[in-house]
Amino acid sequence: MTHTLSTSSAAALAAASIALIGPASAQPSDTGEAGYSFEEIMVTAQKRSEGVNDIPLSIQAFTGDALQNAGIFDASQLTLVTPGLNFSRSSANTPIYTLRGVGFNTPNLSSTSPVGVYVDEVAYAYPFMSSGPLFDLERVEVLKGPQGTLYGRNTTGGLFNFITKKPSDTLEAGVIGEIGNFETYNFEAYVSGPVSETVGVRLSGRWENSDKGWQNSVTRDDELGKKDRLGLRAIVDFEPNEDLRIEVSGSYWRDRSDTVAPQAVLLNADQPDFVGPDIAGFIRDDWTSRTADWDPEDGSKPPFEVDAEFFSVTGRIDYAITEAISLVSLTAYNDVRRDDTNDVDGTPVEVFAQQSIGDIASFSQELRLVGSAGQFDYIVGAYYSRDKINDNQVGFYERSSVLQLLRFLSQNAIDPMNALYTPEQYAAGFRTYRNTTEQTNRSASIFASGDWEISDQFKVSAGLRYTDDQLRFSACSGDFNGNTLPIWNTAVHFLVNAQTGNTPNFLVQENGCMTYAENFTDLAAFERPALNEDNVAGRLSLQYTPNDDVLLYGTFSRGFKSGAVPMLPTNNETQLEPARQERVTAYELGSKLTLLDGRMQLNSSAFYYDYRDKQLFSEVLDPVFTTLTRLVNVPKSEVYGFEVDGTFRATQELTLRIGAALTKTNVKEFQGFNRAGQPEDFAGQRFPYTPEWQVNGSINYDTPITTTLNLQGTLNANYLSETSGSFGEEPGFGVDAYTIVNGTVSVYAPDNGWRVGLYANNIFDTYYWTATDVLTDIVFRVPGMARTFGVRVSYDFQ
C-alpha cells in the first residue's frame, strides 16, 4: 500500500538554506562525477509533490531525521537553521515568530501570527498551538514571503509546514532515550505498519523531563526551569482502492513546565517618588545564563508554571476523479487551553506578575481540485474556518509605583475618614485586576492557482485568493473578586473625572468592567462592533531553467494578515479599537544553482517588501497611567535584503555549509508616543526583533571506522547581529548580538539501526537573551537557554 510521499534521507538546500544538519544530510545520490552530489527533498509547498530546487520560491526543507539527530525538538529551535527567522517569547509566554522582519510582537493567546504554522497543511493559526515538542516528522518546509494564495491563514511573512511521518508498508518501530544535565531524561518512540491490506497505523510520542531548574535565584536558594512536556500522535490510513485514500490523525500535547524568569536590567519608574527604596537594588548588569530572580512562592498567587493542553483531530480524503483530476478534502478541529503564570519584572518582589488563562476551539474545512491539462497544472478550492476564543489575564502588581501613588491618594486625599472602604481594603486594594476578551473569528475564501509550462525552459505560475473575514469580540479590563474596587472607585475615578470636570461616580461593581467610555463618564459596553474585512491576495512567478543545473525566477506576491483586537489593560475604550488588516506586497528575484557536477548547491535571493498598515502594540496617552498600550497600524514601512547559501560536499565523508541573510527594515510613516507620553515621529526606525545579519553554517563528517560501524560528527553555529525589543530603540531594550554553537558526535551501525552519541547545545554556555520588555517600572530581559549536554541512544527495529 502506498501511504505518503517518500523523501530521501539526503540533504537538499533550497533558497537561503544554510544549515541542514545531521546524518540524514550526508548521503550521496547515485549521480555526480565522484558520487558526492545531493539527492533532492520532495516537498508539497505548492500543494503538489515537487523537488525543492524545482520551485520558484524561497523555501527551505529539512528532513525530520536531520532535525532529530541535531537535537531540534521545538519549533523555536528552527532559528538555528533558518536564516531570516527570529524567535522570542512574550511576557506572557506566547511564541513570537518573525521572518524577514514580518512578525507580530504580542502577548495575547488570541492573536494570530503573520508567520503561519501548519501541520500536514492544517493551520495552527495561533502561535501558542505550536508549543508542543517536535517528533516523528518526515520533513519541515519553511516558506518565506507572503503565502496567501494556497495558504489562507495570515501568512504575510511566511510559514512552517510540518509534515508528519505516515504509516509504513512494513512493521517498523523505534525508540530514543536521552539523559542529560539538569536531571534531564527524555523518551521518544514509534510503531508503524499495516494492520490489513487496506489499513495502516502509526503511533508515536515524545516525553521531555528536566527535574532540576536551569535558572538560579541570586537572592535565595531557589531554582526555576524544570520541564515536563508530553506529545502523542496517532495516524490511520485507509486505502480501499487505488483511487481513494482516507487519513485520520489525532495529536495531543501537554506542558507542565516552569515558565522562564526574566532579568531586571533598568529602572524605568512610572512614578519615581513612589518606588520602594529596595527596588533599585534588584537591578543588575552582571546577569549570566544561569542567574535570574522572581517572586518566592507564598501561596498568594499561582506558581510560575505552565498548565497547557492541546489536541487536534484531522481528516483528509484524497479521491482520484480521473487520472488527471483529484479531489482533496481537509477537515480539522484544534483545541488549546492554557493557564500560565509569569514573573514580569525579574525581581524577588511583586512589581508585576501575570496569570494568562484562555482557550481556543478552531474548526476548518478545505476542499480543492488538483488537476492537469497538458502543459497546465491547476488547483481550485475553497476554505472556511471558525474560531471561538476566550483570553483572560489576571495582573498582580503589589509593589508598582503607580499603585503606591493610587493607594496614597485614596487613603489620604479622597477618603481619609474611611467612609467608603476600610484601611485594610485600601492597603491591599488593586493588587489584582483582570483583562478579558471573547472573540469569534470567521474566515471564508476561494482560491485558484495555475502553472503553465510554456516550454522546456520557461514556466509561468499565477494564483489568486479572495478572503472574507469577520471578527466579533467583546473586551474590557475588570475588577478581580472585589480587590480592585477600593482604589478604582476612589483614586482612579478622581483622577479621570478631575480632567473632565465631573463628580466621581463609583460605577464599578465586583468583577465588573472598569474600562471607561470615550467621555470618561460611563463604563464601556462589553460588546464591540464587528470587524468585517475582505481582500484579494495573489502571486505571479516567472521561471527560467536554461538547463538542469540552473533555475532563475522572479516573483510578485501580495498577502494579508486579518485585523486584530488586543487583550490588554484598558482605562479608555479607545484602547480596544481593533487594528485593520495589514498588507505585504513582495518582489523577489532568485536563483538555484547546482555546481561542480552536483557537489555544490548555491542558492540566492533578493527581496523587497512594501509593508502597509503593520500591526503594532504602541503607547497612547492616559490620564492616570501616563501611557497605556494600544494596538495600532503603522501606515507605511519597507523591508528589503538578500539571502545566499552554499553547500559543498567536499568528499564522501565531509559536507560544509555556510550562508548569510541580510534584512533591512524601515518605518516610512508613523506618528506615536513614547513611554514617557511624549509625541514622537518613528520614521526611520527599525522593526523590533529583526537583526540585520544572520549567519549560520555547519560541518558534518561521517566516516566508517569498522566494516559495521560509522562515526558521525556535526558542528553547527548560528550568529545574529544586535536588534531591539522596542519600536524606537529605547534604553534597556537592546538585544545584543550572539552566536550559539551546537554539536553532536555519535557511533552508529548503518545496517543494524542503533546509534549512541553525545550532544551539546550552546556549547560555550553563551549568555544571550531573545526578548526585552517593560510593563511597569522595570525593563527586563528574557534569557536564552543555558548549556545543555547529554547522551542520546536510539534503536530502530526493522
Side-chain angles (χ1 to χ4, degrees):
M1 169 172 78
T2 302
H3 291 287
T4 186
L5 299 172
S6 63
T7 63
S8 82
S9 58
L13 270 283
S17 173
I18 293 180
L20 182 57
I21 47 183
S25 64
Q27 304 300 324
S29 72
D30 295 332
T31 62
E33 182 178 323
Y36 301 164
S37 60
F38 303 100
E39 292 184 14
E40 190 170 30
I41 298 177
M42 303 300 292
V43 297
T44 53
Q46 298 189 114
K47 303 291 181 75
R48 55 167 55 92
S49 178
E50 300 169 286
V52 71
N53 286 324
D54 297 329
I55 301 177
L57 291 173
S58 288
I59 173 177
Q60 295 173 252
F62 310 97
T63 66
D65 290 342
L67 296 178
Q68 175 182 283
N69 290 322
I72 294 179
F73 297 102
D74 191 280
S76 65
Q77 295 174 307
L78 289 174
T79 58
L80 300 174
V81 295
T82 308
L85 173 65
N86 195 34
F87 174 84
S88 60
R89 285 198 179 275
S90 74
S91 58
N93 196 41
T94 50
I96 300 171
Y97 302 107
T98 303
L99 189 55
R100 287 182 172 176
V102 181
F104 188 28
N105 182 15
T106 172
N108 296 167
L109 172 72
S110 53
S111 295
T112 57
S113 172
V115 180
V117 176
Y118 291 76
V119 176
D120 292 331
E121 301 182 7
V122 172
Y124 286 15
Y126 302 88
F128 196 83
M129 292 179 173
S130 66
S131 299
L134 298 182
F135 62 97
D136 204 35
L137 296 176
E138 184 71 32
R139 65 186 181 276
V140 178
E141 302 169 7
V142 182
L143 283 67
K144 299 180 180 179
Q147 305 297 325
T149 304
L150 294 178
Y151 297 86
R153 292 297 299 261
N154 306 320
T155 49
T156 51
L159 62 88
F160 313 123
N161 193 15
F162 297 94
I163 308 299
T164 61
K165 289 186 176 180
K166 303 304 189 293
S168 52
D169 294 330
T170 59
L171 181 61
E172 299 176 355
V175 294
I176 300 174
E178 300 168 354
I179 298 176
N181 61 331
F182 304 120
E183 299 181 11
T184 295
Y185 50 99
N186 303 329
F187 301 97
E188 184 173 331
Y190 76 91
V191 60
S192 176
V195 295
S196 72
E197 291 185 356
T198 59
V199 178
V201 176
R202 189 177 189 97
L203 306 175
S204 57
R206 180 173 175 82
W207 185 26
E208 299 177 342
N209 303 266
S210 294
D211 287 342
K212 182 176 177 60
W214 60 277
Q215 292 187 294
N216 296 321
S217 169
V218 296
T219 59
R220 63 189 185 278
D221 183 17
D222 199 1
E223 64 183 27
L224 201 65
K226 296 177 182 178
K227 179 183 286 189
D228 181 2
R229 292 200 309 176
L230 173 68
L232 301 171
R233 184 183 304 119
I235 301 176
V236 179
D237 261 357
F238 175 50
E239 294 188 30
N241 55 62
E242 61 181 12
D243 295 329
L244 178 63
R245 176 190 171 196
I246 301 173
E247 178 184 290
V248 178
S249 64
S251 297
Y252 169 84
W253 63 255
R254 63 131 175 94
D255 193 350
R256 303 288 187 270
S257 306
D258 291 346
T259 53
V260 176
Q263 300 168 329
V265 296
L266 181 68
L267 183 62
N268 186 18
D270 295 322
Q271 297 293 332
D273 293 338
F274 287 86
V275 175
D278 58 335
I279 299 296
F282 301 128
I283 309 298
R284 305 171 67 97
D285 59 4
D286 60 347
W287 297 108
T288 71
S289 63
R290 295 291 307 278
T291 57
D293 227 335
W294 58 94
D295 305 347
E297 189 172 337
D298 60 6
S300 65
K301 60 177 175 287
F304 296 124
E305 296 175 355
V306 181
D307 182 3
E309 287 186 310
F310 169 83
F311 71 87
S312 174
V313 178
T314 300
R316 174 170 177 148
I317 301 173
D318 290 81
Y319 178 64
I321 300 173
T322 69
E323 290 186 359
I325 302 175
S326 297
L327 174 68
V328 178
S329 171
L330 191 61
T331 309
Y333 176 79
N334 299 331
D335 190 289
V336 67
R337 177 194 61 81
R338 61 99 59 105
D339 185 351
D340 300 359
T341 304
N342 292 265
D343 186 284
V344 197
D345 57 72
T347 75
V349 297
E350 188 186 281
V351 180
F352 197 87
Q354 64 183 8
Q355 181 184 14
S356 301
I357 309 166
D359 58 80
I360 300 174
S362 175
F363 169 82
S364 64
Q365 173 65 55
E366 180 175 309
L367 286 172
R368 64 178 185 260
L369 284 174
V370 181
S372 298
Q375 301 299 103
F376 183 69
D377 298 329
Y378 61 88
I379 298 175
V380 179
Y383 179 86
Y384 175 85
S385 66
R386 184 178 177 87
D387 309 328
K388 293 281 291 184
I389 306 164
N390 294 292
D391 197 2
N392 303 275
Q393 286 181 347
V394 178
F396 303 85
Y397 71 141
E398 172 67 27
R399 295 289 301 276
S400 75
S401 62
V402 169
L403 176 56
Q404 301 310 310
L405 169 61
L406 294 175
R407 285 175 174 173
F408 177 83
L409 291 175
S410 295
Q411 180 70 91
N412 296 281
I414 299 172
D415 187 23
M417 304 302 294
N418 301 120
L420 301 173
Y421 298 95
T422 67
E424 292 77 15
Q425 288 176 307
Y426 283 126
F430 209 176
R431 183 212 175 190
T432 57
Y433 67 93
R434 64 181 177 88
N435 305 315
T436 184
T437 181
E438 296 179 1
Q439 301 181 24
T440 301
N441 191 343
R442 189 268 296 156
S443 181
S445 59
I446 55 175
F447 58 92
S449 177
D451 300 325
W452 180 28
E453 189 173 342
I454 301 174
S455 69
D456 291 341
Q457 295 181 330
F458 291 96
K459 187 176 183 179
V460 177
S461 300
L464 288 174
R465 177 185 287 261
Y466 171 77
T467 300
D468 180 80
D469 289 328
Q470 182 184 82
L471 176 61
R472 295 186 177 275
F473 65 97
S474 57
C476 74
S477 288
D479 169 68
F480 185 75
N481 295 335
N483 175 263
T484 322
L485 300 181
I487 306 303
W488 196 274
N489 280 342
T490 55
V492 175
H493 273 276
F494 177 84
L495 292 174
V496 169
N497 290 324
Q499 298 190 31
T500 63
N502 298 320
T503 303
N505 44 31
F506 315 116
L507 291 174
V508 180
Q509 303 299 313
E510 184 170 346
N511 291 318
C513 285
M514 304 185 307
T515 304
Y516 290 94
E518 191 170 2
N519 61 8
F520 285 101
T521 60
D522 299 315
L523 295 184
F526 195 65
E527 293 290 337
R528 311 294 297 166
L531 178 65
N532 296 288
E533 297 177 309
D534 64 353
N535 59 72
V536 178
R539 179 174 178 270
L540 175 65
S541 173
L542 303 177
Q543 175 182 333
Y544 175 54
T545 311
N547 56 59
D548 291 341
D549 296 329
V550 177
L551 185 151
L552 307 176
Y553 66 91
T555 63
F556 164 85
S557 57
R558 174 171 289 175
F560 293 80
K561 178 190 179 300
S562 59
V565 61
M567 192 274 295
L568 40 73
T570 52
N571 189 22
N572 184 350
E573 68 167 347
T574 57
Q575 291 177 259
L576 297 174
E577 291 298 321
R580 59 185 175 272
Q581 63 187 357
E582 65 179 33
R583 185 187 77 193
V584 173
T585 304
Y587 307 85
E588 183 164 347
L589 296 174
S591 65
K592 301 184 179 185
L593 309 177
T594 303
L595 306 173
L596 302 179
D597 197 27
R599 294 173 62 182
M600 174 177 283
Q601 184 67 41
L602 182 65
N603 301 326
S604 63
S605 63
F607 58 90
Y608 176 83
Y609 293 173
D610 179 6
Y611 203 166
R612 299 299 176 98
D613 294 326
K614 174 179 173 62
Q615 296 172 7
L616 175 78
F617 281 93
S618 185
E619 303 300 314
V620 295
L621 295 179
D622 184 82
V624 178
F625 302 95
T626 307
T627 62
L628 284 173
T629 305
R630 179 180 173 182
L631 185 58
V632 300
N633 291 101
V634 178
K636 294 182 181 180
S637 306
E638 62 182 358
V639 182
Y640 57 94
F642 73 86
E643 297 165 346
V644 61
D645 73 87
T647 303
F648 177 54
R649 192 173 184 86
T651 68
Q652 288 187 344
E653 295 81 18
L654 180 63
T655 304
L656 308 174
R657 297 176 179 85
I658 185 69
L662 172 66
T663 306
K664 291 276 193 175
T665 61
N666 178 49
V667 174
K668 300 177 71 175
E669 179 185 324
F670 178 51
Q671 300 282 339
F673 296 92
N674 60 28
R675 296 179 196 274
Q678 302 299 316
E680 187 169 339
D681 184 355
F682 289 94
Q685 295 289 349
R686 297 188 299 169
F687 291 179
Y689 301 124
T690 308
E692 287 193 357
W693 281 101
Q694 184 174 6
V695 181
N696 53 20
S698 69
I699 301 172
N700 187 86
Y701 188 74
D702 193 334
T703 186
I705 53 177
T706 72
T707 57
T708 58
L709 296 179
N710 276 32
L711 174 68
Q712 185 269 332
T714 297
L715 191 68
N716 64 87
N718 181 48
Y719 165 80
L720 288 91
S721 64
E722 58 84 22
T723 183
S724 176
S726 169
F727 200 72
E729 301 183 1
E730 299 177 69
F733 282 80
V735 179
D736 286 356
Y738 63 89
T739 302
I740 301 298
V741 180
N742 299 338
T744 63
V745 59
S746 58
V747 175
Y748 69 99
D751 298 328
N752 294 324
W754 62 264
R755 176 183 292 268
V756 178
L758 304 175
Y759 69 88
N761 297 320
N762 192 5
I763 291 175
F764 300 106
D765 203 20
T766 300
Y767 169 52
Y768 69 103
W769 57 98
T770 62
T772 57
D773 205 350
V774 61
L775 291 186
T776 180
D777 294 338
I778 295 174
V779 179
F780 59 86
R781 299 169 179 167
V782 180
M785 185 69 183
R787 176 173 54 213
T788 59
F789 56 86
V791 178
R792 182 178 297 125
V793 179
S794 65
Y795 186 75
D796 288 314
F797 304 87
Q798 300 288 341

